[in-house]
Amino acid sequence: MNEITDTRLFRDSDFYLVPLCLLLMFIFMYIKRRKYNGLQMQRYFIPALVWRLVFVFFYAVIVQYYYGAGDTLMYYRGVTDMYHAVSDDWSHLADIFLVEKMEPSNPIYTYFMYDGHSVTHYYMENAGTFAVCKFALPFSLLFGNSYVCISFCLSLFSFAGCWRIYKMFCEMFPRLQWKFALSILFLPSILFWGGSLLKDSICMGSLGFALYAAYQIFFTKRKVFVSLIILLACCTLLLYIKPYILLCLLPAFILWMFLGFRKRIADSGVRRLATLFLFAGALVGGVLLLGKLTQTELASQYSTERIVETAQGLQDEYSKLEESTGSGYSVGPIGDSFASLLLLFPLGVITTFFRPFLFEVRNPLMLISALEAFAFLCLIYMAFRKIGFRRFFKTVFSSPVLVFCFVFAFVFAGIVGVTTANFGSLARYKIPCLPFFLMMVFIVMDQSGKFSPSVVFGRRLF
């Protein structure tokens, strides 16, 4: 077996494979775009996709010529090894797709062990990493293992998921289509980190597909059977790749359902009685479901017995990364009790949404994150200043969908903010919660009657 040592992200074959990929992609997207003829949201469809593809190329250039290393290179090595194995024998597809992770007994294990990089086989023994490579393999086979084409395809999947979140919120709040587009389709963090050969691209796509499918099943009652299949498939992807996203999403969505059903009951006496039973049912069902998920090997580290140990391990891991990159931060050490973790939670939320501060910038890429965080800080300051802190949260807790956004965004932000301890990693990990936080703020601002639905920042911020 020949060793595979070529880790270049740009190759000569891209001169004809990339145009072919783009041609097929835009033919497909123009056909899909026709569904939105006459709707305002149609104007954002193609531009949002184009910006994602631009950022895919930008990210590849930075990884290849600035960083020279990164998770995406490791995933690409894994996909390349799979590509060679399948090219040698198509029956190896079964050895890839019918297993959860790589084992030394697997016939293709040697492809990862002797690919010239020494460590690829260790990464493939992780179910989450292996799932990313499996997901990317069909696109690798379709486009000659071109990294750019694989990333374009994953970017399209991520865009499709984000578009479903955008469409769902536009159905509920049609006045805010421009602000929702800014929140989910054109947010720089999502464009940069949510569109390449990374876990984050698959997770953003899966999150959007799963949420919209659940919305159709439980609220609009449309395409229930198809939506159920999509929901199960995307929740499985999240469980394999980043189970903590699913563990944050489930209780928030269950709460949304509970409050939504409660609000539909007109009679106050019946509503109070139903509240007791609905809340008990939602609580028991949610606890049982989360307990069942955390009993699996994939999510066992997030069980109540191990969550503190897991948080401590992640914090230690990223603290070591801080020493080598100089982009670290600390919200305080996590103690041995769950209470110590909860005490750091507010600082984790602040860190996720509003840091790095401008004076914490250490490199050009951190500056982008810092400017985005500063914009978030200005936006929430404007909202609190004109609406008032109390009225802001009164509006949030009066709407089931806003409660969903609040719970998912703040629980997720607290978790990643406390455990990450490195601004570079935080910029990636926080992207699932950012659009929900932004859309929540925009909805509250609009319902206050003091802000224009088409203007984000006025001439006077303060």
Side-chain angles (χ1 to χ4, degrees), residues 31-105:
I31 293 173
K32 298 294 290 184
R33 180 177 179 267
R34 291 165 59 185
K35 290 174 56 179
Y36 307 102
N37 283 341
L39 300 177
Q40 181 185 342
M41 66 174 65
Q42 186 192 51
R43 63 189 295 189
Y44 306 121
F45 194 77
I46 296 299
L49 177 62
V50 170
W51 273 108
R52 280 180 178 269
L53 300 182
V54 169
F55 270 81
V56 166
F57 186 79
F58 180 51
Y59 177 78
V61 169
I62 288 179
V63 170
Q64 183 75 72
Y65 300 108
Y66 180 75
Y67 285 130
D71 290 348
T72 193
L73 288 172
M74 181 267 295
Y75 296 132
Y76 186 47
R77 289 200 298 265
V79 175
T80 300
D81 294 341
M82 291 181 180
Y83 176 83
H84 282 268
V86 174
S87 298
D88 290 343
D89 187 349
W90 282 87
S91 66
H92 285 320
L93 284 171
D95 299 319
I96 295 171
F97 286 102
L98 298 183
V99 297
E100 188 174 278
K101 58 184 178 182
M102 268 294 108
E103 302 284 353
S105 58

Side-chain angles (χ1 to χ4, degrees), residues 167 210 219 263 275 296 317 423 431 434 451 460:
K167 185 166 70 169
F219 290 100
K263 198 171 184 179
T275 297
T296 64
E317 180 182 342
F423 285 125
I431 62 172
L434 296 184
F451 296 89
R460 292 183 60 188

Side-chain angles (χ1 to χ4, degrees), residues 217-431:
I217 293 169
F218 296 105
F219 290 100
T220 64
K221 306 296 190 295
R222 299 190 306 243
K223 302 179 180 179
V224 174
F225 180 71
V226 174
S227 296
L228 183 60
I229 295 174
I230 293 173
L231 178 63
L232 292 174
C234 291
C235 285
T236 301
L237 271 175
L238 289 174
L239 183 62
Y240 270 90
I241 298 174
K242 288 193 176 184
Y244 61 88
I245 296 179
L246 187 60
L247 296 177
C248 292
L249 181 67
L250 279 175
F253 189 82
I254 290 172
L255 187 59
W256 180 11
M257 286 196 303
F258 161 69
L259 294 174
F261 293 151
R262 176 183 177 274
K263 198 171 184 179
R264 294 177 188 176
I265 302 173
D267 187 90
S268 59
V270 176
R271 184 167 61 245
R272 282 194 294 269
L273 183 62
T275 297
L276 179 63
F277 290 101
L278 284 171
F279 180 75
L283 181 63
V284 171
V287 170
L288 290 175
L289 185 57
L290 290 175
K292 191 70 175 177
L293 286 174
T294 53
Q295 286 175 5
T296 64
E297 181 185 353
L298 297 167
S300 60
Q301 68 268 38
Y302 302 104
S303 65
T304 53
E305 296 83 5
R306 297 182 58 190
I307 184 66
V308 174
E309 177 187 344
T310 300
Q312 289 174 329
L314 289 171
Q315 193 178 61
D316 291 342
E317 180 182 342
Y318 290 112
S319 294
K320 294 176 183 176
L321 186 61
E322 170 190 354
E323 297 174 2
S324 61
T325 62
S327 60
Y329 67 88
S330 175
V331 297
I334 300 172
D336 295 327
S337 65
F338 188 70
S340 67
L341 183 61
L342 290 179
L343 287 174
L344 296 175
F345 214 77
L347 290 176
V349 172
I350 292 170
T351 299
T352 296
F353 290 132
F354 308 122
R355 293 178 68 187
F357 300 124
L358 290 172
F359 60 82
E360 294 177 310
V361 172
R362 298 290 180 270
N363 57 62
L365 289 179
M366 276 186 71
L367 179 60
I368 298 174
S369 296
L371 290 173
E372 185 179 87
F374 182 68
F376 275 47
L377 189 60
C378 291
L379 190 68
I380 200 69
Y381 173 81
M382 287 169 51
F384 285 160
R385 182 174 180 270
K386 291 192 176 183
I387 301 172
F389 185 85
R390 184 176 177 182
R391 187 183 171 194
F392 181 94
F393 284 102
K394 184 179 179 180
T395 305
V396 169
F397 293 120
S398 67
S399 168
V401 68
L402 291 181
V403 171
F404 161 77
C405 291
F406 175 82
V407 172
F408 175 72
F410 278 71
V411 170
F412 191 94
I415 291 173
V416 298
V418 169
T419 59
T420 303
N422 179 274
F423 285 125
S425 300
L426 181 65
R428 282 174 48 196
Y429 296 161
K430 69 182 182 180
I431 62 172

